[in-house]
Amino acid sequence: DGGITQSPKYLFRKEGQNVTLSCEQNLNHDAMYWYRQDPGQGLRLIYYSQIVNDFQKGDIAEGYSVSREKKESFPLTVTSAQKNPTAFYLCASSAAGGYQETQYFGPGTRLLVL
Amino acid sequence: GESVGLHLPTLSVQEGDNSIINCAYSNSASDYFIWYKQESGKGPQFIIDIRSNMDKRQGQRVTVLLNKTVKHLSLQIAATQPGDSAVYFCAEKNSWGKLQFGAGTQVVVTP
């Protein structure tokens, strides 16, 4: 998984609860990303960060929040405002700058609602 | 090819045969393409990439072909093995610099 770790592997959320998914990378990459994967669909971008202390909304940011206080860490919080959170969440990172923007992915966290 | 929906297209391949997985991309301005392999319950793994100034690139047992005229990308896997069973999807870097991902093709290798 290329030096990107995600935890936990499985996460259960109760009604009205906020939960936080962890993503850490030791690749010294500047950029980090969060994607949501639903069955039979392509990855959809939730949030991304190109540099520490800065992040931008992706295509489906509503109901999610992020922070980027350290280069190696990019946690994602799924808030109670996200009404359909059940999905497989993938974190990725890429080296900033240059022509190539190959993104390398972590192993994923599966979020289930109780 | 790619599709959107609950059911991915499936390619059934006999062990030892060559596999060809297709991807139609949407943006003629896309300048960089990547193929990923995703095994069940795991994160996607980078396989191979290609820039728009190339039409072919080879890796270990894999070849990517790019036809910009018809906006088509293909991944060829030589001598397919059981460990190649997975979902394969392509990604294109669009004019805003973001990657857009296809839904993928399920490859099933039969003995």
Side-chain angles (χ1 to χ4, degrees):
Chain A
D1 294 313
I4 302 174
T5 57
Q6 291 186 242
S7 62
K9 186 171 182 179
Y10 295 96
L11 185 57
F12 297 91
R13 193 190 92 164
K14 295 180 183 178
E15 195 77 31
Q17 186 182 36
N18 292 353
V19 292
T20 298
L21 286 62
S22 168
C23 177
E24 304 276 330
Q25 53 99 0
N26 62 3
L27 301 168
N28 201 33
H29 284 170
D30 285 317
M32 296 185 75
Y33 311 80
W34 273 106
Y35 291 93
R36 172 179 171 139
Q37 187 175 38
D38 293 284
Q41 297 186 35
L43 303 183
R44 292 186 289 168
L45 182 64
I46 303 172
Y47 267 98
Y48 65 101
S49 168
Q50 294 182 308
I51 197 167
V52 175
N53 292 323
D54 187 51
F55 48 82
Q56 286 80 39
K57 292 182 179 180
D59 301 319
I60 55 164
E62 186 174 349
Y64 301 96
S65 66
V66 293
S67 63
R68 186 88 186 276
E69 297 176 2
K70 298 186 295 182
K71 185 175 184 177
E72 59 270 23
S73 179
F74 191 40
L76 172 76
T77 297
V78 183
T79 74
S80 57
Q82 173 49 245
K83 297 307 178 189
N84 183 24
T86 298
F88 192 46
Y89 290 87
L90 289 160
C91 178
S93 70
S94 66
Y99 184 92
Q100 290 179 306
E101 287 192 17
T102 303
Q103 294 182 18
Y104 297 93
F105 287 85
T109 292
R110 188 165 298 278
L111 177 60
L112 299 163
V113 177
L114 293 176
Chain B
E2 305 280 336
S3 74
V4 175
L6 291 177
H7 301 288
L8 296 176
T10 299
L11 177 67
S12 186
V13 183
Q14 197 154 12
E15 184 176 354
D17 286 351
N18 297 336
S19 305
I20 300 176
I21 306 159
N22 297 305
C23 177
Y25 63 93
S26 55
N27 190 343
S28 57
S30 294
D31 55 8
Y32 179 60
F33 305 87
I34 309 172
W35 277 101
Y36 287 95
K37 171 187 179 182
Q38 187 176 23
E39 296 176 72
S40 182
K42 297 186 178 180
Q45 292 174 269
F46 171 84
I47 302 173
I48 193 167
D49 57 4
I50 190 167
R51 302 177 186 182
S52 59
N53 62 353
M54 304 169 71
D55 53 20
K56 181 179 180 179
R57 190 165 187 219
Q58 288 184 292
Q60 188 177 13
R61 276 202 310 122
V62 294
T63 300
V64 55
L65 299 176
L66 175 62
N67 185 332
K68 293 181 287 293
T69 303
V70 296
K71 294 189 286 185
H72 183 266
L73 194 67
S74 68
L75 177 71
Q76 299 178 3
I77 305 173
T80 310
Q81 302 167 1
D84 294 327
S85 291
V87 173
Y88 292 80
F89 56 88
C90 64
E92 60 179 300
K93 184 163 79 77
N94 63 25
S95 50
W96 298 278
K98 290 185 188 173
L99 285 182
Q100 289 185 299
F101 297 85
T105 297
Q106 176 80 56
V107 172
V108 177
V109 181
T110 57

